Amino acid sequence: FHDLVEIFAIGGRVPSTNYLFLGDYVDRGQHSVETISLLACLKLRHKARIHLLRGNHESRNITRTYGFYAECHAKYGSACVWRAFTDVFDCLALAVIIDDSIFCVHGGLSPSITHVDQLRVLDRFGEIPHEGAVADLVWSDPDGDVTGFARSQRGAGYTFGARVVDRFLHTNGMAHILRAHQLCMEGFLVLFNDRLSTVWSAPNYCYRCGNVASILHVDPYLKRDFVTFDAAPESRAPAPQPTPDNMYFL
């Protein structure tokens, strides 16, 4: 939550600045309720100035395991708030296109999606499935060691290489793919001859990784500029001990 406030301090307050968030608003620390509540309030107040994509953690199955369900139950004494938010998650968009040029998604590409028009007919209003296009969009990752698609070690989605990225961008007349989903120690990573970027906005991930984070500024001419930042002083909590569940994140 404090790092989200830091993002607004760096990038500018809503509605003076337009914001696109790429997903995973919960299960990322000890203040998931406060984080998603603030984003939801800002979306309601300034719906044209802030946009929220769905990540793989905006899911009932994942949040039951990785913290959000337990946090809601501890803070409110029941699962009612968790249920309300997971119902909202079902309505979040899976992708956004900036000025017909930058394709934005939480995870990555899918072998089932070759043209962006196919996204418009997906049945996305529900729980994220274990496989298929919706799962691929929130779970897949780029990989410089493959050219096409390969099964992901995450157990969902795919890894994909430069050839897949080039074909998707050419087919859709776009120039760049912007996504999140993977820890970047320097806050961001640019791959495939500047055709794909990963932006990571959670500093000192899981209170122990020591990484910096970034936000990406896109100007009216579509010039991209990463701004990195460290964890806010208020968010430097003691690191929780690893368990078989939360080792997933590392």
Side-chain angles (χ1 to χ4, degrees):
F1 172 76
H2 300 292
D3 296 322
L4 175 61
V5 174
E6 187 76 3
I7 287 175
F8 292 130
I10 295 169
R13 292 181 177 274
V14 182
S16 300
T17 302
N18 289 330
Y19 279 95
L20 169 64
F21 290 90
L22 299 177
D24 282 10
Y25 314 110
V26 297
D27 296 334
R28 289 306 191 236
Q30 300 172 3
H31 304 288
S32 291
V33 170
E34 291 84 353
T35 298
I36 188 57
S37 296
L38 175 57
L39 289 171
C41 289
L42 288 171
K43 179 61 178 175
L44 290 169
R45 180 66 179 85
H46 306 288
K47 63 180 181 179
R49 305 292 276 176
I50 184 168
H51 304 277
L52 307 176
L53 293 188
R54 190 174 193 175
N56 60 307
H57 280 261
E58 279 68 63
S59 155
R60 293 168 184 82
N61 292 331
I62 297 297
T63 54
R64 276 187 178 274
T65 302
Y66 295 112
F68 186 50
Y69 176 87
E71 181 183 334
C72 289
H73 207 282
K75 290 178 176 178
Y76 294 97
S78 75
C80 291
V81 171
W82 173 81
R83 291 193 191 98
F85 273 120
T86 52
D87 286 346
V88 171
F89 295 160
D90 289 343
C91 300
L92 295 179
L94 294 171
V96 160
I97 300 170
I98 300 175
D99 285 354
D100 296 323
S101 181
I102 303 176
F103 180 75
C104 306
V105 67
H106 176 73
L109 301 179
S110 169
S112 303
I113 302 292
T114 57
H115 197 281
V116 293
D117 284 345
Q118 294 172 270
L119 297 172
R120 307 181 196 280
V121 297
L122 287 178
D123 182 13
R124 64 180 179 86
F125 295 102
E127 179 65 2
I128 296 172
H130 295 294
E131 59 184 14
V134 172
D136 298 341
L137 292 168
V138 299
W139 279 100
S140 294
D141 299 295
D143 187 345
D145 294 328
V146 301
T147 56
F149 283 102
R151 280 290 179 183
S152 173
Q153 293 183 355
R154 292 181 185 268
Y158 292 83
T159 58
F160 57 93
R163 186 177 65 195
V164 171
V165 170
D166 288 344
R167 183 170 61 238
F168 180 85
L169 292 175
H170 176 75
T171 298
N172 293 283
M174 298 184 194
H176 198 79
I177 295 172
L178 176 63
R179 43 91 64 179
H181 194 45
Q182 281 179 301
L183 171 64
C184 302
M185 293 304 295
E186 302 302 322
F188 65 93
L189 182 65
V190 180
L191 294 173
F192 308 141
N193 295 318
D194 199 25
R195 304 280 271 172
L196 179 146
S197 296
T198 298
V199 58
W200 183 265
S201 300
N204 194 28
Y205 184 45
C206 290
Y207 305 105
R208 68 166 61 86
C209 287
N211 62 287
V212 299
S214 75
I215 57 176
L216 177 63
H217 176 255
V218 180
D219 73 11
Y221 304 99
L222 300 181
K223 179 182 178 182
R224 291 170 278 111
D225 182 33
F226 288 97
V227 180
T228 59
F229 63 98
D230 293 311
E234 298 89 345
S235 67
R236 293 170 187 165
Q241 293 301 308
T243 68
D245 282 346
N246 67 29
M247 281 300 291
Y248 158 88
F249 296 119
L250 303 178

